[in-house]
Amino acid sequence: MTALHAARGPVSGPRAAVPFLSDEVVGRQREIELLLAGLDCGAHVVLEGPPGTGKTTLLRAVAEAGGSSFVFVEGNAELTPARLVGQFDPSRVLAEGYVPETFVDGPLIEALRTGGLLYVEEVNRIPEETLNVLITVMSEAELHVPRLGRVRAAEGFRLVAAMNPFDAVGTARISSAIYDRVCRIVMGYQSHDEENDIVARRCPPVPAPWRDRVVDLVRRTREHADVRVGSSVRGAIDVVRLSVSLARIRGAEATEWRVGHDAAMAALSGRIGMHESSGRTAESVIDELYVAVFGEESAPKEPEGGEPPGEA
């Protein structure tokens, strides 16, 4: 019985399977159950979804709940097989030779030896030769390292990879050899209420109706015709946080129209990707959506007496 299986205990209903994760992960009942089932039965898993959908948060919570070690690897073009597997320390090799004591474990060997979860982020960004190493490990549950020998996977070792299917810059298409060895869990954006809950948990206190509209604003970026990739819930978190700090600096309220507008521009304009054919800027779309959600900015009040500002 694995640590993940032991952590769950008996299951008496759909919600009873994941009570120990409710404080860490908002919603995601289906994805949690699928991930737990995949890891428990010995499968390797690919979590596929846009940024900000909680892939890393979900896996960390599952690993901690099950008492498994968690080894994180950032996927990029610089992740060579040597960096993933490890290598002999040249200075120690000169003095002691090629012995196990002079080998410095990389993240893959560390996870194999400890029976941990190896989490490879942005797996579609890593070079093909590095992917081939992962394919070998998934197929054989062991790895042969020159001069070191064979390293077998300890009980509990699992590979979980994550990828963003919408990011085409600097990425490669994952081969069928990878998909043939993993279970694929697709993670889309959460519901409005769940994203609202996430923002409430991670931000300073603000009026609930205003926070709800911030979440609505961010969700609309994913549906706009001129936007190729909208913002994740991280954008809503930053809009709220930035509004609170900006209001403090200006001596205003976070819910004031101009404070929220400036915060939204700064927090969201770099997070959305425009269709090249649209001819619009991110700022113009954010402005359009902000007005649609919060209305037009009110005109400044005239001073008492009816005289326009600045006139005697």
Side-chain angles (χ1 to χ4, degrees):
M1 179 180 294
T2 66
L4 286 169
H5 184 273
R8 286 187 295 168
V11 178
S12 59
R15 295 187 179 277
V18 289
F20 55 92
L21 295 175
S22 59
D23 291 337
E24 298 294 331
V25 182
V26 176
R28 297 294 185 203
Q29 177 83 13
R30 172 181 172 274
E31 291 87 348
I32 290 172
E33 291 177 346
L34 284 172
L35 179 56
L36 284 170
L39 297 177
D40 185 59
C41 75
H44 304 290
V45 179
V46 165
L47 301 176
E48 189 171 312
T53 48
K55 298 185 290 294
T56 304
T57 301
L58 171 60
L59 185 59
R60 283 189 185 276
V62 167
E64 291 173 4
S68 300
S69 61
F70 182 90
V71 184
F72 176 83
V73 178
E74 182 179 353
N76 54 54
E78 305 302 318
L79 185 64
T80 62
R83 291 185 176 182
L84 179 66
V85 174
Q87 55 192 342
F88 285 95
D89 184 337
S91 60
R92 294 190 62 187
V93 166
L94 290 174
E96 305 171 49
Y98 289 100
V99 294
E101 291 74 20
T102 62
F103 188 83
V104 180
D105 290 352
L108 174 56
I109 296 295
E110 178 186 347
L112 286 170
R113 294 190 197 274
T114 61
L117 297 180
L118 178 68
Y119 178 56
V120 182
E121 194 172 52
E122 304 294 349
V123 67
N124 50 333
R125 290 181 176 272
I126 67 179
E128 184 177 359
E129 60 268 25
T130 308
L131 281 176
N132 290 336
V133 173
L134 295 176
I135 291 173
T136 299
V137 171
M138 286 189 288
S139 299
E140 309 297 334
E142 64 181 32
L143 184 66
H144 179 80
V145 182
R147 292 195 175 97
L148 179 65
R150 184 171 56 184
V151 179
R152 292 182 179 273
E155 177 66 25
F157 168 77
R158 303 287 187 271
L159 169 68
V160 180
M163 59 181 286
N164 171 15
F166 303 112
D167 190 357
V169 180
T171 63
R173 184 178 178 84
I174 295 299
S175 69
S176 58
I178 292 285
Y179 279 124
D180 190 48
R181 290 165 172 81
V182 300
C183 293
R184 174 174 172 262
I185 301 176
V186 176
M187 296 180 63
Y189 291 111
Q190 289 155 287
S191 70
H192 181 106
D193 289 343
E194 288 171 342
E195 291 194 343
N196 201 350
D197 189 6
I198 293 171
V199 176
R201 293 185 183 202
R202 300 187 182 181
C203 293
V206 292
W210 180 81
R211 184 186 64 237
D212 187 76
R213 287 198 282 177
V214 170
V215 173
D216 183 25
L217 167 66
V218 169
R219 292 176 65 84
R220 290 188 185 212
T221 66
R222 305 168 198 162
E223 304 168 355
H224 196 282
D226 293 319
V227 177
R228 180 176 60 86
V229 179
S231 172
S232 72
V233 69
R234 293 174 186 153
I237 293 170
D238 277 357
V239 170
V240 174
R241 288 176 172 173
L242 193 58
S243 295
V244 171
S245 295
L246 188 60
R248 187 183 305 117
I249 292 171
R250 293 180 176 177
E253 296 292 330
T255 57
E256 288 187 15
W257 195 97
R258 180 55 56 182
V259 171
H261 183 274
D262 289 348
M265 283 291 184
L268 302 179
S269 60
R271 280 187 161 94
I272 66 174
M274 307 298 297
H275 286 295
E276 294 181 0
S277 60
S278 72
R280 297 190 62 180
T281 64
E283 289 78 8
S284 69
V285 170
I286 298 302
D287 181 70
E288 173 193 325
L289 294 177
Y290 191 88
V291 170
V293 173
F294 291 93
E296 295 281 356
E297 182 177 15
S298 300
K301 293 182 179 179
E302 292 185 1
E304 291 185 8
E307 296 181 351
E311 293 187 12

